[in-house]
């Protein structure tokens, strides 16, 4: 088998047993790696109804066929588990160097099961795996733990996936960080890692993976690199966030917990401003990628010390800790970003949970008494920063917000849930679903809750991405129609392919290039149809996982807020029509071969070669 | 636009008006030609419930993107209309040179509507079309009409699609023949042409179509030609029929109207025997195709005169006029084949209708009194030949059989329908659905009735054709299961692609090659997904056409005979289980996005960008 190592490492932290499994080539061919492996394992190995933070949950790190191969956007891996934030299917993708290193170390995936009684870490070096004592590094912030373990192992060459105090403290939106700056942010997988008392996984490998046609891959890599250099996108220049002012103008930028309106100081927060202010160092890359989309900033000493080791904030972070909290202070956001890195917390959920609390304060639902005296009001940068720490360490009111906005609203009561802007428990990312109604539709139905990486950002762009003359004309962003469901169906499948094969969305692959890359790497006959059907398989299995956990179509909704329109700003008068949403969902379900209530039909399971999953749909 | 001319010729024979339409590039991109054009036009232009042999029917000749381009298997065109044999969607594909010539003459399709009051023919030369008097050639056999019109037009360079007396006499299984030997055999399109008093269409063109990337196409053509030469399949050596003895041994060869048993003299009828007997001349090809699968035979003088101008019999003809009529006389079959060519009748339906009558005689349902004194018994070669003529000219009992086996059985009554081996009125081709149960499933659901070109012949081969690791293991030929429905779904789409793009099944294209060929010709971004979805679009529109005509899931069945097993022979004890068939159909429907009763869902129409067709599903 080419492209993959053919080996999956299973680590039982309860027993300390390590074992290696070698699934068949047909298995690899059916799921193609990444989320495909994860969902198959979670569905077949994790019983229904278990506590996501208990030893019965499994945390799976999985690579795709492309991970670690000499191609742009090749540095990614998937992580998955039952989510402590949603109680549903949890998954997040992450870049950096860790995935490629694991591939070189001889594995395609790691299944972590059980839980250690004392903190441990995992060391993997060229096929050899070892569970080691992590008591000395437990409690350390991410960069400190990273440094300590490199010293202990005596080498800079390890690649490390770690959690911070937030993961240890079971913050429900704690993340896992690859080499300090690359976050698998969403759905609280850092808390699952913390619950298993697994501080980090250090990996080293010296064996680059084999390819079926190395020459063709190198040729393709050169062409893509050349194209990236000659036609750099905004990603290579500013990372994300370079268009925040445009977002503000059209209403895509969330402001004050998605209340809408305008945010005149938006330019103060943009990457361009970081450059003007002299904070900018350079752009950095993931493993072997010419896109170089990661901001590296300089040390800042005032008004806050900001350690550049944690990288620089991207758009989601800038918006979540900035305008959505009513904050226009760039340095505060940069500090907040650094804190989220130190503690290991998802910046979207952290920011959105704080903005939720700020609106509760604004609406009089909570007062200074509830917040331990803090003035948690929109625009208060100091309070935002203080709150991040209190959340990570579950101090006072931070212990409430550490549960994420959905559970926090339940604890607070008094109608607070009206201001918790989440889907299935996952805080809504920084793209307005009233403007991007295709994205809103996607937020509503996605297995992991609101996710901005797999939906529709721009209908016109999407159609050109799909190279689809089938979609005869553009559908306006604010339209929510059956045709929008169609774009989401096709684009959704396309956007899920990267999560299987370990590829980054920021590389402008065409369908043809992606298909060829997969063929040249694996040597398997490949087609875009096969890739799309693999994505459909993953989406359907994730749906079945959620149904088994008790979720249904009624959980496929948007926060009430989006069914009303903002009182001012570019989205005045614009809202999501709940009937249109329900209708578009039904259409979308059926396109996927699910019934009108979103339950996959047996026929589609057979078509996708996963009829084995039918058993999980039976009561 | 490349690949297509962008022009469709509309010919109204009632008014004599000729007009040219230029649909948008998006239209071409959505349907890709061939059956895609045909079904869209039939559905939108032909009202429900019309008489297939009346002036309201439309007869459509349509080319695909590949037709007429320098690639193997490029000589094909589709013909369609509401079928007089089934009252449902009618379509047939045909090779030769006519399609390529029409492409060079400047058109992608011809829509023939209305009906002439006196016989006419159509002359098309480099974009110029003309309706001309055909009274002199009306009544002529196919080759005679062909010759006469070439003399009239003063040139050998015309390519001619013609009907014979059978088409003129509205025989419900009359065919259309390209250049005498290439038959668009099934579903009675020759009768539709006859009903319009259109004897033939003579075409001449001098402008080869443009391609987006001529060099790549020529490169591909050379590679495919080289591969065909170095690895010739049986098609290049014997045409079809070279494995009849193997078919007989495993039970695939229909014997005595599908009654089963053995046929020891099968070797007497095979192409190899034609060679031994000195009847063989050489293999001929369609337009520019290296496969060369068409038998050219020598003149025979005894015991019957056989004119070699009508080509040689292929497997379907050999079986239908041979073993399925209990006949083991090679020369008689060759003569029968020639007669079908002379008169312009589908050899499958002609043979099967005669074998139906022979069984009615065997069972005592009809006697010599009914058959005008003929001894129409199994094995009587003279009677078979005589009957072919009586059918073509509707003489005596031939007038009954000219209606096809279904309608003939209705006329005969007395339980004759038990021996009419058809689906929806289309006689079952020469592949046993009890052995090939995937093919049986396909026969049962296909829009045009039993069709052997778009179903499953060999599960193992099919899977390799699909390059599909998705289908993890082979499913035995006699198994009829949900997994078999899955193979049919994927393979069925794949096998329908050629009918859209004008490609021959006998060229071993890979998915990748076909996708690339389409891209190099049209310049449109292409993917295997897009091709499969185009095929799905065609299948779904044909279904809607049939639903509008009053057909439903109850018409998706097999002749009762196949639910019982033969008393002897290789299929003793083997039958189709009707419950398994119904279950597999349901699964298959749902895979196509139809409901359990086979009605396409609105969601799938939207997905396929054909929501316009929803109106035809409303009562």
């Amino acid at each position: 088998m080419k492209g993959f190592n053919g080996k999956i490492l299973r680590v039982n932290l309860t027993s300390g047993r390590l074992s290696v499994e070698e699934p068949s080539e047909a298995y690899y061919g059916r799921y193609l790696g990444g989320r495909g492996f994860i969902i198959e394992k979670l569905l077949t190995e994790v019983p229904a109804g278990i506590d996501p933070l208990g030893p019965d949950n499994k945390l799976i790190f999985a690579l795709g066929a492309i991970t670690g191969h000499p191609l742009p956007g090749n540095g990614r891996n998937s992580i998955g588990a039952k989510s402590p934030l949603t109680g549903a299917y949890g998954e997040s993708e992450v870049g950096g160097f860790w995935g490629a290193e694991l591939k070189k170390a001889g594995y395609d995936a790691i299944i972590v099961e059980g839980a250690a009684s004392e903190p441990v870490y995992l060391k993997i070096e060229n096929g050899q795996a070892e569970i080691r004592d992590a008591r000395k590094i437990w409690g350390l912030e991410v960069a400190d733990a990273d440094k300590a373990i490199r010293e202990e192992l005596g080498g800079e060459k390890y690649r490390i996936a770690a959690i911070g105090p937030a993961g240890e403290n079971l913050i429900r939106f704690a993340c896992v960080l690859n080499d300090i700056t690359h976050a698998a942010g969403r759905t609280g997988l850092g808390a699952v890692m913390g619950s298993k008392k697994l501080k980090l996984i250090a990996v080293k490998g010296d064996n680059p993976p084999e390819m079926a046609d190395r020459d063709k891959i190198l040729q393709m890599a050169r062409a893509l690199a050349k194209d990236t250099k000659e036609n750099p996108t905004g990603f290579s220049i500013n990372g994300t966030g370079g268009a925040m002012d445009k977002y503000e103008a059209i209403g895509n930028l969330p402001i004050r917990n998605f209340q809408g309106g305008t945010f005149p100081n938006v330019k103060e927060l943009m990457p361009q401003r970081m450059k003007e202010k002299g904070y900018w160092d350079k752009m950095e890359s993931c493993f072997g990628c010419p896109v170089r989309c990661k901001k590296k900033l300089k040390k800042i000493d005032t008004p806050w010390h900001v350690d550049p080791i944690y990288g620089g904030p991207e758009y989601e972070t800038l918006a979540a800790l900035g305008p959505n909290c009513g904050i226009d202070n760039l340095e505060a956001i940069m500090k907040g970003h650094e804190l989220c890195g130190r503690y290991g917390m998802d910046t979207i959920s952290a920011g959105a949970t704080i903005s939720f609390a700020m609106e509760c304060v604004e609406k009089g639902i909570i007062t200074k008494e509830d917040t331990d005296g803090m003035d948690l009001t929109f625009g208060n940068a100091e309070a935002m920063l203080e709150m991040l720490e209190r959340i990570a360490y579950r101090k006072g009111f931070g212990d409430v917000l550490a549960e994420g906005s959905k559970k926090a609203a339940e604890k607070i009561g008094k109608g607070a849930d009206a201001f918790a802007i989440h889907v299935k428990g996952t805080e809504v990312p920084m793209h307005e679903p009233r403007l991007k109604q295709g994205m809103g539709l996607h937020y509503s139905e996605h297995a992991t809750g609101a996710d901005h990486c797999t939906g529709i950002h721009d209908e016109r762009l999407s159609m050109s991405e799909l190279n689809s003359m089938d979609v005869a004309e553009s559908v306006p962003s604010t339209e929510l129609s059956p045709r929008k469901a169609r774009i989401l169906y096709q684009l959704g499948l396309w956007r899920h392919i990267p999560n299987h094969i370990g590829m980054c969305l920021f590389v402008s692959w065409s369908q043809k290039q992606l298909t060829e890359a997969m063929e040249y790497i694996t040597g398997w006959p490949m087609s875009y149809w096969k890739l799309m059907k693999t994505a459909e398989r993953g989406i359907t299995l994730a749906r079945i996982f959620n149904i088994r956990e008790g979720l249904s179509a009624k959980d496929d909704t948007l926060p009430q807020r989006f069914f009303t329109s903002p009182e001012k700003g570019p989205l005045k008068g614009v809202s999501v029509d709940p009937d249109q949403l329900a209708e578009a969902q039904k259409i979308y379900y059926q396109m996927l071969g699910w019934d009108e209530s979103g339950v996959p039909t047996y026929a589609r399971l057979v078509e996708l070669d996963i009829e084995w999953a039918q058993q999980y749909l039976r009561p």
Side-chain angles (χ1 to χ4, degrees), chain A:
Chain A
M1 190 159 48
K2 300 286 163 57
F4 290 103
N5 288 299
K7 290 193 166 67
I8 291 177
L9 177 66
R10 188 179 292 273
V11 180
N12 188 306
L13 292 178
T14 303
S15 67
R17 185 167 180 269
L18 297 166
S19 56
V20 176
E21 287 159 27
E22 303 191 19
S24 69
E25 186 163 7
Y27 178 87
Y28 278 85
R30 188 176 301 124
Y31 300 106
L32 296 183
R35 85 176 317 233
F37 288 172
I38 289 170
I39 183 55
E40 190 276 337
K41 291 296 175 205
L42 289 182
L43 200 48
T44 56
E45 297 189 8
V46 174
I50 57 118
D51 176 6
L53 297 177
D56 293 332
N57 202 358
K58 301 197 180 189
L59 182 69
I60 301 175
F61 299 76
L63 316 180
I66 284 183
T67 311
H69 284 282
L71 282 171
N74 61 353
R76 293 183 78 80
N77 65 277
S78 301
I79 312 180
K82 179 173 175 180
S83 165
L85 191 61
T86 67
Y89 178 67
E91 184 196 331
S92 199
E93 274 69 35
V94 53
F97 298 79
W98 187 89
E101 199 72 23
L102 183 64
K103 184 74 77 82
K104 287 192 282 182
Y107 294 107
D108 304 312
I110 305 170
I111 302 171
V112 181
E113 52 191 33
S117 51
E118 294 290 334
V120 295
Y121 75 94
L122 194 60
K123 179 192 157 197
I124 300 173
E125 193 165 336
N126 287 325
Q128 296 301 311
E130 192 183 344
I131 300 170
R132 294 169 63 108
D133 187 348
R135 279 176 296 184
K136 277 189 203 161
I137 55 169
W138 197 251
L140 292 188
E141 292 178 357
V142 170
D144 297 337
D146 186 279
K147 190 178 170 206
I149 222 67
R150 285 179 198 283
E151 281 169 11
E152 176 174 322
L153 295 176
E156 275 302 302
K157 289 195 170 169
Y158 287 90
R159 296 298 178 177
I160 294 172
I163 57 169
E168 297 176 16
N169 297 329
L170 309 183
I171 310 312
R172 287 187 188 267
F173 45 84
C175 62
V176 181
L177 289 136
N178 282 357
D179 297 318
I180 305 169
T181 58
H182 304 270
R186 312 299 324 261
T187 69
L189 301 168
V192 177
M193 198 156 159
S195 75
K196 299 193 173 305
K197 288 214 158 40
L198 177 64
K199 180 68 178 177
L200 58 82
I201 304 179
V203 176
K204 190 149 100 65
D206 301 309
N207 301 303
E210 286 180 24
M211 290 163 269
D213 192 333
R214 189 181 165 79
D215 291 346
K216 284 257 176 57
I217 287 293
L218 294 178
Q219 197 178 324
M220 181 174 263
R222 278 191 298 269
L224 280 162
K226 186 162 176 276
D227 183 58
T228 302
K229 210 167 179 181
E230 288 170 2
N231 307 295
T233 61
F235 298 138
S236 298
I237 299 163
N238 295 314
T240 57
M244 278 179 84
D245 50 348
K246 293 193 187 74
Y247 285 8
E248 193 266 351
I250 58 174
N252 188 46
L253 181 73
I255 296 164
R256 296 161 65 101
N257 201 36
F258 286 91
Q259 291 187 78
T262 57
F263 202 83
N265 283 347
V266 64
K267 277 187 187 296
E268 290 303 312
L269 311 180
M270 289 168 63
Q272 293 88 330
R273 196 80 185 100
M274 297 175 199
K275 291 176 186 173
E276 288 162 13
K277 283 186 156 181
Y279 300 156
W280 201 267
D281 183 356
K282 61 180 180 182
M283 297 305 281
E284 289 190 324
S285 111
C286 295
F287 179 78
C289 181
V291 177
R292 305 182 69 80
C293 70
K294 298 283 290 185
K295 298 174 175 70
K296 184 164 167 59
L297 301 180
K298 290 182 180 157
K299 182 163 169 271
I300 302 179
D301 291 317
T302 173
W304 293 277
H305 290 283
V306 182
D307 186 344
I309 199 170
Y310 288 100
E314 296 301 330
Y315 169 69
E316 297 294 326
T317 309
L318 291 166
L321 302 179
N324 208 34
C325 285
I327 291 170
D328 60 4
N329 183 318
L330 175 60
E331 293 76 10
I333 297 170
M334 290 170 67
K335 180 64 189 175
H337 169 260
E338 181 231 57
L339 290 179
C340 287
R342 284 181 186 276
Y343 308 141
M345 295 196 295
D346 175 33
T347 58
I348 301 175
S349 284
T353 301
I354 291 173
S355 62
F356 150 74
M358 285 174 166
E359 187 168 3
C360 287
V361 168
E362 185 181 82
K363 297 293 191 290
I365 289 173
I366 54 176
T367 64
K368 279 194 182 176
E369 270 179 44
D370 301 296
T371 61
D372 318 304
M374 273 179 63
D375 179 31
L376 200 60
T377 50
F378 282 117
N380 187 339
E382 284 285 5
M384 179 270 287
L385 295 175
E386 174 64 25
M387 203 67 237
L388 287 174
E389 193 200 323
R390 292 191 188 187
I391 289 171
Y393 290 97
R394 289 189 175 269
K395 288 187 206 161
F397 189 62
D399 188 44
V400 175
L401 297 189
E403 296 293 289
S405 59
K406 182 187 178 192
K407 285 190 201 301
E410 287 165 8
K411 285 200 176 174
I412 293 166
K414 303 184 231 169
D417 59 340
F419 312 111
I421 308 301
H422 68 86
V423 177
K424 298 184 177 72
T426 299
E427 284 74 20
V428 171
M430 301 298 115
H431 301 271
E432 245 289 353
R434 284 170 291 201
L435 175 70
K436 295 183 175 179
Q437 299 211 2
M439 185 60 92
L441 173 61
H442 177 63
Y443 285 165
S444 77
E445 53 68 24
H446 193 59
T448 67
D451 178 75
H452 64 290
C453 293
T454 42
I456 308 170
H457 283 278
D458 180 319
E459 281 73 9
R460 219 167 317 216
L461 185 70
S462 301
M463 284 183 294
S464 106
E465 220 175 305
L466 285 171
N467 281 339
S468 178
M469 285 195 309
D470 297 350
V471 184
E473 68 250 20
S474 182
V475 180
S477 173
T478 52
E479 184 181 316
L480 189 52
S481 61
R483 290 186 68 83
K484 187 63 70 79
R486 175 172 194 250
I487 298 176
L488 178 61
Y489 172 70
Q490 293 207 8
L491 192 80
L493 295 183
W494 165 241
R495 284 278 169 81
H496 273 84
I497 294 171
N499 300 357
H500 286 261
I501 66 178
M503 182 205 100
C504 182
L505 283 172
F506 285 7
V507 180
S508 305
W509 294 87
S510 71
Q511 298 166 4
K512 194 178 172 186
Q513 286 169 323
L514 203 58
T515 306
E516 286 180 352
M518 283 296 289
E519 195 159 294
Y520 298 152
I521 287 177
T522 63
W524 293 330
M526 197 55 60
S527 72
Y528 182 54
W529 169 271
K530 184 176 165 66
L531 291 174
M532 292 286 268
K533 284 292 166 186
T534 303
E536 199 160 29
R537 192 173 289 130
I539 289 170
T540 296
L541 290 174
R543 183 76 179 184
I544 294 173
F545 185 94
N546 283 359
I547 290 171
R548 194 181 60 164
E549 293 297 335
L551 279 74
S552 70
K554 71 178 182 342
D555 298 290
D556 290 351
T557 189
L558 288 173
Q560 286 292 321
R561 165 148 290 164
F562 300 125
F563 299 140
T564 63
S565 69
E567 286 172 21
K568 49 191 178 176
L571 294 187
K572 189 179 171 186
V574 180
S575 64
V576 175
D577 180 315
D579 294 335
Q580 285 179 355
L581 178 65
E583 183 59 25
Q585 285 173 337
K586 270 191 199 173
I587 298 279
Y588 175 76
Y589 296 156
Q590 289 178 285
M591 287 179 181
L592 280 161
W594 305 350
D595 68 17
E596 286 202 354
S597 59
V599 179
T601 60
Y602 177 63
R604 189 56 73 105
L605 299 189
V606 175
E607 193 226 314
L608 295 172
D609 202 20
I610 48 173
E611 55 267 55
W612 58 263
Q614 175 74 2
Q615 61 184 301
Y616 302 113
L617 286 173
R618 295 202 188 98

